Amino acid sequence: GQQLNQSPQSMFIQEGEDVSMNCTSSSIFNTWLWYKQDPGEGPVLLIALYKAGELTSNGRLTAQFGITRKDSFLNISASIPSDVGIYFCAGQKSGAGSYQLTFGKGTKLSVIP
Amino acid sequence: DAGVIQSPRHEVTEMGQEVTLRCKPISGHNSLFWYRQTMMRGLELLIYFNNNVPIDDSGMPEDRFSAKMPNASFSTLKIQPSEPRDSAVYFCASSLVGTSNEQFFGPGTRLTVL
C-alpha cells in the first residue's frame, strides 16, 4: 500500500526556535494536509494544500506542496510551548470515488521553555 | 457549529463483550471515516462511507468489526466479540467530498479491552 515517510520522528527544541518537518512518498498525491494532535484529542487540521508548488501560511505555520507532488514540508517559526504535540502529514489521491487519506507516522514536537 | 461528536469518550470492557462506538458527523458533510490509532501502527483507516454507503471497508481488521451508517447524521462501529488487541483510540472523521478533501476529526473513543 501507499507509504508516507515523515521525519523527524521526534524533536526537542528551545522556545523561540524554528521547526521544520517533512513527508515524502513514492506515490503522487493531489492533496497534502497537515494536522496537529494534542494528547487525548483528535487531529486538528492546520493547513491544506491543493496545488503542486503551493506555499500556504497559517500564522506562524507555513507548508508547501512539493513540485513533484510526492512531498510536503511544514515549518513552524518562533516556536512557543503550546506548539507541543504530534504533527501528522496526510496525502490524498482523489480519483474515481477515492477520498482516503494516507497518514504519516507523525512528528512528536517538544518545546523547552 | 458543532464538530464531529463521538461517544463514549472512554470505554473499558472485558474480553468477549460487545462494544459499540458512535459518531455524529458535521451537519452537511457527505462522507464519514472510521480510524483506529495505536502507538505501533499509527492512524489506520478502517472504513469510510459516502452518502451513507460503505465505499471501502478493506481496513476493517476482521469479521468481528462492523460499521453502519443508517442516516446522514449517525454512524456506529461495533466490535463483537472484543479482544485485548482491539484496545486503541478510535476516531471518526467527516468531510464534504466534492467541495473539499479536508477531513475533520472527532475527539476519539479510547477503548480498553481487559
Side-chain angles (χ1 to χ4, degrees):
Chain A
Q2 299 171 34
Q3 295 281 333
L4 281 186
N5 298 309
Q6 185 171 351
S7 64
Q9 192 172 8
S10 64
M11 47 195 319
F12 291 81
I13 61 169
Q14 290 286 143
E15 182 177 357
E17 288 184 350
D18 296 344
V19 174
S20 183
M21 59 192 78
N22 68 83
C23 272
T24 60
S25 171
S26 57
S27 301
I28 290 175
F29 289 104
N30 294 333
T31 301
W32 282 95
L33 306 172
W34 284 92
Y35 288 84
K36 181 193 178 196
Q37 186 175 21
D38 291 326
E41 301 294 331
V44 174
L45 183 64
L46 299 174
I47 291 179
L49 303 160
Y50 294 101
K51 295 180 182 179
E54 178 181 356
L55 185 71
T56 297
S57 294
N58 178 6
R60 293 177 297 105
L61 277 59
T62 301
Q64 184 159 31
F65 193 144
I67 291 292
T68 64
R69 294 164 65 188
K70 294 182 178 181
D71 63 317
S72 177
F73 72 74
L74 174 70
N75 286 342
I76 306 173
S77 62
S79 58
I80 59 177
S82 62
D83 291 334
V84 166
I86 302 177
Y87 292 79
F88 292 97
C89 62
Q92 188 170 46
K93 290 178 66 175
S94 298
S98 173
Y99 310 109
Q100 301 179 49
L101 288 179
T102 301
F103 280 85
K105 296 293 187 186
T107 295
K108 185 175 182 179
L109 177 64
S110 300
V111 179
I112 304 168
Chain B
D1 190 15
V4 175
I5 299 172
Q6 290 186 248
S7 65
R9 290 295 309 273
H10 302 273
E11 177 81 33
V12 180
T13 191
E14 292 188 345
M15 182 175 64
Q17 296 297 307
E18 176 181 305
V19 175
T20 299
L21 311 181
R22 296 172 176 81
C23 175
K24 177 179 169 57
I26 292 173
S27 177
H29 280 189
N30 58 13
S31 292
L32 184 143
F33 305 79
W34 282 101
Y35 291 88
R36 178 172 66 178
Q37 185 178 41
T38 61
M39 289 291 292
M40 292 298 295
R41 301 172 70 90
L43 268 166
E44 302 174 278
L45 177 66
L46 300 177
I47 185 173
Y48 77 94
F49 296 84
N50 183 245
N51 292 323
N52 312 339
V53 176
I55 302 299
D56 187 345
D57 65 354
S58 59
M60 295 287 259
E62 47 197 274
D63 292 345
R64 298 184 297 107
F65 285 68
S66 63
K68 295 181 179 179
M69 191 164 186
N71 56 63
S73 59
F74 184 65
S75 177
T76 59
L77 178 67
K78 183 181 293 186
I79 308 172
Q80 180 184 23
S82 58
E83 296 181 2
R85 60 194 168 115
D86 300 331
S87 297
V89 181
Y90 291 81
F91 289 104
C92 175
S94 71
S95 70
L96 183 57
V97 168
T99 300
S100 164
N101 294 329
E102 300 163 14
Q103 292 182 21
F104 296 88
F105 283 76
T109 295
R110 179 173 293 278
L111 173 65
T112 302
V113 183
L114 303 175

